[in-house]
Amino acid sequence: MFDAPRRGKPPQHLADLDPAERKAVVESLGHNGFRAKQLSTHYFEHLVGSPEEMSDLPKAIREDLVARLLPQLLTAVRTVEADKGKTVKSVWRLHDGALVESVLMRYPRRVTICISSQAGCGMNCPFCATGQEGLTRNLSTAEIVEQVVRAARSLRRGDVAGGAEGSPLRVSNVVFMGMGEALANYSAAIGAIRRMTDPSPDGLGMSARGITMSTVGLVPAIDRLAAEGIPVTLALSLHAPDDDLRNELVPINTRWSIGEAIDAAYRYFATTGRRVSIEYALIRDVNDQGWRADLLGKKLNARGRGWVHVNPIPLNPTPGSRWTASDPRVEREFVRRLRALGVPTTVRDTRGSDIDGACGQLAASTA
Ligand code: SAH
C-alpha cells in the first residue's frame, strides 16, 4: 500500500517552505520580506515558536506572522522516560487527531532522535507494531522537522537528564526509524532532510552524515536518494538473507528481492561514499540460524568489502506476537559468524524497550 488516504492537509508551516517561498508568503501578507529571515532565525536557531519571545518583530504583526507561518503542528499527549531520564519517548497528536511518536536518546557525546515520517505504515511487516496498524497518512515536511525541533528545545531547556559536563546540548543524530516508511513519503522526507541540513538560519545546520534514512528497500527511491547530493546514511532493513523468509518478514520483498535491494544499497555506497547499515532484527528460531548469518555475509561480500556493516538487534516483541527475541548465545554466534567473514557487525542497543520504546508500540497503546 503506497498511497496514503486523503485527509485534510496539515496547516502550512515555515518548515514546509524554502527561504524564497517563506519570503513570498510574508510579502503576500503585506509585510516586509526580511521578516521571513527573522522568523526562520527564531524557529531554527533560537528554537522559539511563541510570539512573546520574538521581541525583534513589531508587536502588531507578530501574531499574524506566527499564526500564518508557525502554527502548532504537534501536541504532546504523552511522554515517558527510561534509562534514568536519558531516553524520552513522546506521543504527539497531529492536527487531525492522528498519533505519531518520537524518541530522544541522550548519550555521553551525542544525542539521537528517532522520528516518524508517516502516521502508521503501509509496509505491513508482521513483527512491527506500526506495520499492524496500516497507513493513516503521510506527514508533511514540517511535521517531520517539528519532531526534531521539539527535541532540540527540550534539550536546551534542560528537560532531558544526564550526560557528563560539556556533553552536547544539540541534536547530533536523526534516524528515520520511528513510524512509517519515509521513502514512501519521498518528497516530504527529502524536504525534511533539506531543512535539517540547510545552514542556520534557513535550516537546522545539521551534518548529513548524522542523519540515517531507514528503509524496507524501495529500490527506485534508494537510487533517487543517492542522486540528491545529500550524503545521509542509508539503513536497509533486511532481516533475512533468503527471499522465502524475507517475503514473509518484509512483504515488499515480493516486489524488490533481496538481490535487488542489496544491489541498490551498494549503488548508494558507490555514489555517496557512505557506508550502508543492514538492519537485522534477530527473531528466535525464525531468522537467527548460523547458516543465515553465513548466507548474509556471503551476499554482502559478493558486492565488495568495506561498504557495509550489519546491525543486528534483538527483536522487541510486540503484544500478541508469536515471535520473540533470539537467545543471547544465538545472537553472539550470529555476530561471530558475520565477523569471521570480515563483515563489521555491531549489535544495536535497545534503549527504551521498557517503555515500548521501539517501533510504534507506544502510540498503539495510547490510541
Ligand atoms: N520503515 C523503515 C523505518 C521504520 S522501522 C524501515 O523499515 O526501515 C525502523 C527499524 O526497526 C527497521 O529496521 C524495522 O524493521 C525495525 N523494527 C520494527 N519492528 C521491530 C521490532 N519489533 N523489533 C526490532 N526491530 C524492529
Coordinates of all heavy atoms in Angstrom, one line a residue, residues 114-118 121 123 125-131 175-184 212-217 235-239 246 249-250 278-283 311 313-318 321 348 350 358-361, ligand 1:
C114 N 14.9 9.7 17.2 CA 14.2 8.7 16.2 C 12.9 9.3 15.9 O 12.1 9.6 16.8 CB 14.1 7.4 17.0 SG 13.2 6.2 16.0
I115 N 12.6 9.6 14.6 CA 11.4 10.3 14.2 C 10.5 9.5 13.3 O 11.0 8.5 12.7 CB 11.8 11.6 13.5 CG1 12.7 11.4 12.3 CG2 12.4 12.6 14.5 CD1 12.9 12.6 11.4
S116 N 9.3 9.9 13.2 CA 8.3 9.3 12.4 C 8.1 10.1 11.1 O 8.2 11.3 11.1 CB 6.9 9.2 13.1 OG 7.0 8.4 14.3
S117 N 7.8 9.4 10.0 CA 7.6 10.1 8.7 C 6.2 9.9 8.2 O 5.7 10.5 7.3 CB 8.6 9.5 7.7 OG 8.4 8.1 7.6
Q118 N 5.5 8.9 8.8 CA 4.1 8.7 8.5 C 3.3 8.4 9.8 O 3.9 7.9 10.7 CB 3.9 7.5 7.5 CG 4.6 7.6 6.2 CD 4.5 6.4 5.3 OE1 4.7 5.3 5.7 NE2 4.2 6.6 4.0
C121 N 1.9 2.9 8.9 CA 2.8 2.4 7.9 C 2.1 1.4 7.0 O 1.3 0.7 7.4 CB 4.0 1.8 8.5 SG 5.3 1.3 7.3
M123 N 3.7 -0.8 5.0 CA 4.6 -1.9 4.6 C 4.3 -3.3 5.2 O 4.7 -4.3 4.7 CB 6.1 -1.5 4.9 CG 6.5 -0.3 4.1 SD 6.5 -0.6 2.3 CE 5.4 0.6 1.8
C125 N 5.0 -5.2 7.8 CA 5.9 -6.2 8.3 C 5.3 -6.8 9.6 O 4.9 -6.1 10.5 CB 7.3 -5.5 8.6 SG 8.0 -4.7 7.2
P126 N 5.2 -8.1 9.7 CA 4.4 -8.7 10.7 C 5.0 -8.6 12.1 O 4.3 -8.8 13.1 CB 4.3 -10.2 10.3 CG 5.4 -10.4 9.4 CD 5.7 -9.1 8.7
F127 N 6.3 -8.3 12.2 CA 6.9 -8.3 13.6 C 6.9 -6.8 14.1 O 7.3 -6.6 15.3 CB 8.4 -8.7 13.5 CG 9.2 -7.9 12.5 CD1 9.9 -6.8 12.9 CD2 9.3 -8.3 11.2 CE1 10.6 -6.0 12.0 CE2 10.0 -7.6 10.2 CZ 10.6 -6.4 10.7
C128 N 6.4 -5.9 13.3 CA 6.5 -4.5 13.7 C 5.1 -3.9 14.1 O 4.1 -4.2 13.5 CB 7.0 -3.7 12.5 SG 6.9 -1.9 12.7
A129 N 5.1 -3.3 15.3 CA 3.8 -2.8 15.8 C 3.1 -1.8 14.9 O 1.9 -1.9 14.6 CB 4.0 -2.1 17.2
T130 N 3.9 -0.9 14.3 CA 3.3 0.1 13.3 C 2.8 -0.6 12.1 O 1.7 -0.2 11.6 CB 4.4 1.1 12.9 OG1 5.0 1.6 14.0 CG2 3.7 2.3 12.1
G131 N 3.5 -1.7 11.7 CA 3.0 -2.4 10.5 C 1.6 -3.0 10.6 O 0.9 -3.2 9.7
V175 N 17.4 9.7 13.2 CA 17.2 8.4 12.5 C 15.7 8.3 12.1 O 14.8 8.6 12.9 CB 17.7 7.2 13.3 CG1 19.2 7.2 13.5 CG2 17.0 7.0 14.6
F176 N 15.5 8.0 10.8 CA 14.1 7.8 10.4 C 13.7 6.4 10.7 O 13.5 5.5 9.8 CB 14.0 8.0 8.9 CG 13.9 9.5 8.5 CD1 15.1 10.2 8.2 CD2 12.7 10.1 8.3 CE1 15.1 11.5 7.8 CE2 12.7 11.5 7.8 CZ 13.8 12.2 7.6
M177 N 13.6 6.1 12.0 CA 13.3 4.7 12.5 C 12.1 4.7 13.4 O 11.9 3.7 14.1 CB 14.5 4.1 13.2 CG 15.7 3.9 12.2 SD 17.0 2.9 13.0 CE 18.2 2.8 11.7
G178 N 11.3 5.8 13.4 CA 10.1 5.8 14.1 C 9.0 5.2 13.2 O 9.3 4.2 12.4
M179 N 7.8 5.7 13.3 CA 6.7 5.2 12.5 C 6.9 5.5 11.0 O 7.2 6.7 10.7 CB 5.4 5.7 13.0 CG 5.1 5.3 14.5 SD 3.7 6.2 15.1 CE 2.4 5.1 14.6
G180 N 6.5 4.6 10.1 CA 6.4 4.9 8.7 C 7.6 4.5 7.9 O 8.7 4.2 8.3
E181 N 7.3 4.4 6.6 CA 8.4 4.2 5.6 C 8.6 5.5 4.9 O 7.8 5.9 4.0 CB 7.9 3.1 4.6 CG 8.7 2.9 3.3 CD 10.2 2.5 3.6 OE1 10.5 1.8 4.6 OE2 11.0 2.9 2.8
A182 N 9.7 6.2 5.3 CA 9.9 7.6 4.8 C 10.1 7.6 3.3 O 9.7 8.6 2.6 CB 11.1 8.2 5.5
L183 N 10.7 6.6 2.7 CA 10.9 6.6 1.2 C 9.6 6.5 0.5 O 9.5 6.7 -0.7 CB 11.9 5.6 0.8 CG 13.4 5.9 1.2 CD1 14.3 4.9 0.6 CD2 13.8 7.3 0.9
A184 N 8.5 6.0 1.1 CA 7.2 6.0 0.5 C 6.5 7.4 0.7 O 5.4 7.6 0.1 CB 6.3 4.9 1.1
T212 N 20.1 9.3 9.4 CA 20.0 8.0 8.9 C 18.6 7.7 8.3 O 17.6 7.9 9.0 CB 20.3 6.9 9.9 OG1 21.7 7.0 10.4 CG2 20.2 5.5 9.4
M213 N 18.6 7.4 7.0 CA 17.3 7.0 6.4 C 17.2 5.5 6.4 O 18.0 4.8 5.8 CB 17.4 7.6 4.9 CG 16.2 7.1 4.1 SD 14.6 7.6 4.8 CE 14.6 9.3 4.6
S214 N 16.2 5.0 7.0 CA 16.0 3.6 7.1 C 14.8 3.2 6.2 O 13.8 3.8 6.2 CB 15.6 3.2 8.6 OG 15.5 1.8 8.8
T215 N 15.0 2.1 5.5 CA 14.0 1.7 4.5 C 13.9 0.2 4.4 O 14.8 -0.6 4.6 CB 14.3 2.3 3.1 OG1 13.4 1.8 2.2 CG2 15.7 1.8 2.6
V216 N 12.7 -0.3 4.0 CA 12.4 -1.7 3.7 C 13.1 -2.1 2.4 O 13.2 -3.3 2.1 CB 10.9 -2.0 3.6 CG1 10.2 -1.9 5.0 CG2 10.2 -1.0 2.6
G217 N 13.5 -1.1 1.6 CA 14.2 -1.4 0.4 C 13.4 -1.1 -0.9 O 13.2 -1.9 -1.8
A235 N 20.1 3.0 5.8 CA 20.0 1.7 6.6 C 18.9 0.9 5.8 O 17.8 1.4 5.5 CB 19.5 2.0 8.0
L236 N 19.3 -0.3 5.5 CA 18.4 -1.2 4.8 C 17.9 -2.3 5.8 O 18.7 -3.0 6.4 CB 19.1 -1.9 3.6 CG 18.4 -3.0 2.9 CD1 17.1 -2.5 2.2 CD2 19.3 -3.6 1.8
S237 N 16.6 -2.4 6.0 CA 16.0 -3.3 6.9 C 15.9 -4.7 6.2 O 14.9 -4.9 5.5 CB 14.7 -2.9 7.4 OG 14.8 -1.6 8.1
L238 N 16.9 -5.5 6.4 CA 16.9 -6.8 5.6 C 16.2 -7.9 6.3 O 15.3 -8.5 5.8 CB 18.4 -7.1 5.3 CG 18.6 -7.9 4.0 CD1 18.1 -7.2 2.8 CD2 20.1 -8.3 3.8
H239 N 16.7 -8.2 7.5 CA 16.0 -9.2 8.4 C 16.1 -10.6 8.0 O 15.6 -11.5 8.7 CB 14.6 -8.8 8.8 CG 14.5 -7.4 9.3 ND1 15.3 -6.9 10.4 CD2 13.6 -6.4 9.0 CE1 14.9 -5.7 10.7 NE2 13.9 -5.3 9.9
R246 N 12.3 -13.7 3.7 CA 12.1 -12.2 3.7 C 10.7 -11.8 3.1 O 10.1 -10.8 3.5 CB 13.2 -11.5 2.9 CG 13.2 -10.0 3.2 CD 14.4 -9.2 2.7 NE 14.5 -7.9 3.2 CZ 14.1 -6.8 2.4 NH1 13.7 -7.0 1.2 NH2 14.2 -5.6 3.0
L249 N 8.7 -11.7 6.2 CA 9.0 -10.7 7.2 C 8.9 -9.3 6.7 O 8.5 -8.4 7.5 CB 10.4 -11.0 7.7 CG 10.7 -12.3 8.5 CD1 12.2 -12.4 8.9 CD2 9.8 -12.5 9.6
V250 N 9.2 -9.1 5.4 CA 9.2 -7.8 4.8 C 8.5 -7.9 3.5 O 9.1 -8.1 2.5 CB 10.6 -7.2 4.7 CG1 10.6 -5.8 4.1 CG2 11.4 -7.3 6.0
I278 N 23.0 -2.5 7.5 CA 22.0 -3.5 7.3 C 21.3 -3.8 8.7 O 22.0 -4.1 9.6 CB 22.6 -4.8 6.8 CG1 23.3 -4.6 5.4 CG2 21.5 -5.9 6.7 CD1 22.5 -4.3 4.2
E279 N 20.0 -3.6 8.7 CA 19.3 -3.8 10.0 C 18.8 -5.3 10.0 O 18.3 -5.8 8.9 CB 18.1 -2.9 10.1 CG 18.4 -1.4 10.0 CD 19.3 -0.9 11.1 OE1 18.9 -1.1 12.3 OE2 20.4 -0.4 10.8
Y280 N 18.9 -5.9 11.1 CA 18.6 -7.3 11.2 C 18.0 -7.6 12.6 O 18.8 -7.8 13.6 CB 19.8 -8.2 10.9 CG 19.5 -9.6 10.4 CD1 19.7 -10.0 9.1 CD2 19.0 -10.6 11.3 CE1 19.4 -11.3 8.7 CE2 18.8 -11.9 10.9 CZ 19.0 -12.2 9.6 OH 18.7 -13.5 9.2
A281 N 16.7 -7.7 12.7 CA 16.1 -8.0 14.0 C 16.1 -9.5 14.2 O 15.6 -10.2 13.4 CB 14.6 -7.5 14.0
L282 N 16.8 -9.9 15.3 CA 17.0 -11.3 15.5 C 15.8 -11.9 16.2 O 15.4 -11.6 17.3 CB 18.3 -11.6 16.3 CG 19.6 -11.4 15.5 CD1 20.8 -11.3 16.4 CD2 19.7 -12.6 14.5
I283 N 15.1 -12.8 15.4 CA 13.9 -13.4 15.9 C 14.1 -14.9 16.2 O 14.6 -15.6 15.3 CB 12.7 -13.3 14.8 CG1 12.7 -11.8 14.3 CG2 11.4 -13.8 15.4 CD1 11.7 -11.6 13.2
N311 N 23.9 -4.4 11.6 CA 23.4 -4.0 12.9 C 22.3 -5.0 13.3 O 21.1 -4.8 13.1 CB 22.7 -2.6 12.9 CG 23.7 -1.5 13.1 OD1 23.4 -0.4 12.6 ND2 24.8 -1.7 13.8
I313 N 19.7 -6.5 15.9 CA 19.1 -6.0 17.1 C 18.1 -7.1 17.6 O 17.4 -7.8 16.8 CB 18.3 -4.7 16.8 CG1 17.6 -4.2 18.1 CG2 17.3 -4.9 15.7 CD1 17.0 -2.8 17.9
P314 N 18.1 -7.4 18.9 CA 17.2 -8.4 19.4 C 15.7 -8.0 19.1 O 15.4 -6.8 19.4 CB 17.4 -8.6 20.9 CG 18.5 -7.6 21.2 CD 18.9 -6.8 20.0
L315 N 14.9 -8.8 18.6 CA 13.5 -8.4 18.3 C 12.9 -7.9 19.6 O 13.1 -8.4 20.7 CB 12.7 -9.6 17.9 CG 11.2 -9.3 17.6 CD1 11.1 -8.7 16.2 CD2 10.3 -10.5 17.8
N316 N 12.2 -6.8 19.5 CA 11.4 -6.2 20.6 C 10.0 -6.8 20.4 O 9.3 -6.3 19.5 CB 11.4 -4.7 20.5 CG 10.8 -4.0 21.7 OD1 10.4 -4.7 22.6 ND2 10.7 -2.7 21.6
P317 N 9.6 -7.8 21.1 CA 8.3 -8.5 20.8 C 7.1 -7.5 20.9 O 7.1 -6.8 21.9 CB 8.2 -9.6 21.8 CG 9.5 -9.6 22.6 CD 10.2 -8.3 22.3
T318 N 6.2 -7.6 20.0 CA 5.1 -6.7 20.1 C 3.9 -7.5 20.7 O 3.9 -8.8 20.7 CB 4.6 -6.3 18.6 OG1 4.4 -7.5 17.9 CG2 5.7 -5.5 17.9
S321 N 2.3 -11.0 19.7 CA 3.1 -11.7 18.7 C 3.5 -13.1 19.1 O 3.8 -13.4 20.2 CB 4.3 -10.8 18.4 OG 5.2 -11.5 17.6
R348 N 22.9 -3.5 17.8 CA 22.3 -2.2 18.1 C 21.7 -2.2 19.5 O 21.1 -3.1 20.0 CB 21.1 -1.9 17.1 CG 20.7 -0.5 17.1 CD 19.6 -0.3 16.0 NE 20.1 0.1 14.7 CZ 20.5 1.4 14.4 NH1 20.4 2.3 15.3 NH2 21.0 1.6 13.2
T350 N 19.3 -1.3 22.7 CA 17.8 -1.4 22.8 C 17.3 -0.5 23.8 O 16.5 -0.9 24.6 CB 17.4 -2.9 23.1 OG1 18.1 -3.2 24.3 CG2 17.7 -3.8 22.0
A358 N 10.4 0.8 21.2 CA 10.7 0.6 19.8 C 9.4 0.5 19.0 O 8.4 -0.1 19.5 CB 11.4 -0.7 19.7
C359 N 9.4 1.1 17.8 CA 8.5 0.5 16.8 C 7.0 0.7 16.9 O 6.3 -0.3 16.8 CB 8.9 -0.9 16.6 SG 10.5 -1.4 16.9
G360 N 6.6 1.9 17.3 CA 5.1 2.1 17.2 C 4.3 1.6 18.3 O 3.1 1.7 18.3
Q361 N 5.0 1.1 19.3 CA 4.2 0.4 20.4 C 3.5 1.4 21.3 O 2.5 1.2 21.8 CB 5.1 -0.5 21.2 CG 5.6 -1.7 20.3 CD 6.5 -2.6 21.1 OE1 6.4 -2.7 22.3 NE2 7.3 -3.3 20.4
Ligands
SAH1 N1 10.1 1.7 7.6 C1 11.5 1.9 7.9 C2 11.8 2.6 9.2 C3 10.9 2.3 10.4 S1 11.3 0.9 11.4 C4 12.2 0.5 7.9 O1 11.5 -0.5 7.8 O2 13.4 0.5 7.9 C5 13.0 1.1 11.9 C6 13.6 -0.3 12.1 O3 13.0 -1.0 13.2 C7 13.5 -1.2 10.9 O4 14.7 -1.9 10.7 C8 12.5 -2.2 11.4 O5 12.5 -3.4 10.7 C9 12.8 -2.3 12.9 N2 11.7 -2.9 13.7 C10 10.4 -2.8 13.5 N3 9.8 -3.5 14.5 C11 10.7 -4.1 15.3 C12 10.7 -4.9 16.4 N4 9.5 -5.3 17.0 N5 11.9 -5.3 17.0 C13 13.0 -4.9 16.4 N6 13.1 -4.1 15.4 C14 12.0 -3.7 14.8

